[in-house]
Amino acid sequence: MAAKSTNRRLFIAIGILVVLVGLCVYFYFDPSDSAFFPKCAFFSMTGYKCPGCGSQRAIHAMLHGDALGAIRYNAMLLPAIPVVVLLFVAEFNRERWPRFYS
């Protein structure tokens, strides 16, 4: 039982570290000016914007406090963040809150 708890804590710590490193990269580098950020494959092939287009620029704008700029880049990203956080919290507390899933 202790090994399962230790593995879970390690997994959560690594996940938090990856997210923090990613946020630092998006804070210090502008996706529209940097060449190492991935480009949208759907937009490259079709010329049409997908629902995820602009999300990298929106994250960069949000990290710099520009909420209106983030909405201009991708209007669905800002409202989706609390939903994703809620889903992660629910998933990691599945055993603690079993009635949440019934």
Side-chain angles (χ1 to χ4, degrees):
M1 184 68 91
K4 184 177 180 182
S5 176
T6 304
N7 288 341
R8 181 182 171 115
R9 287 183 182 166
L10 180 64
F11 177 72
I12 290 172
I14 290 172
I16 290 172
L17 181 65
V18 167
V19 168
L20 289 176
V21 168
L23 288 175
C24 286
V25 168
Y26 276 102
F27 182 81
Y28 289 110
F29 298 103
D30 188 0
S32 55
D33 294 337
S34 302
F36 63 88
F37 285 100
K39 305 298 180 207
C40 180
F42 183 79
F43 182 73
S44 297
M45 289 188 289
T46 64
Y48 296 110
K49 291 186 178 182
C50 74
C53 280
S55 60
Q56 293 180 22
R57 294 184 304 258
I59 291 170
H60 178 75
M62 281 191 311
L63 290 173
H64 286 277
D66 185 13
L68 291 177
I71 290 172
R72 279 192 297 261
Y73 288 128
N74 189 328
M76 294 302 295
L77 184 68
L78 198 59
I81 291 173
V83 174
V84 170
V85 169
L86 176 67
L87 291 173
F88 274 113
V89 168
E91 181 61 33
F92 283 115
N93 291 306
R94 181 183 288 259
E95 295 171 359
R96 189 180 302 169
W97 302 329
R99 288 182 31 187
F100 188 72
Y101 292 94
S102 50

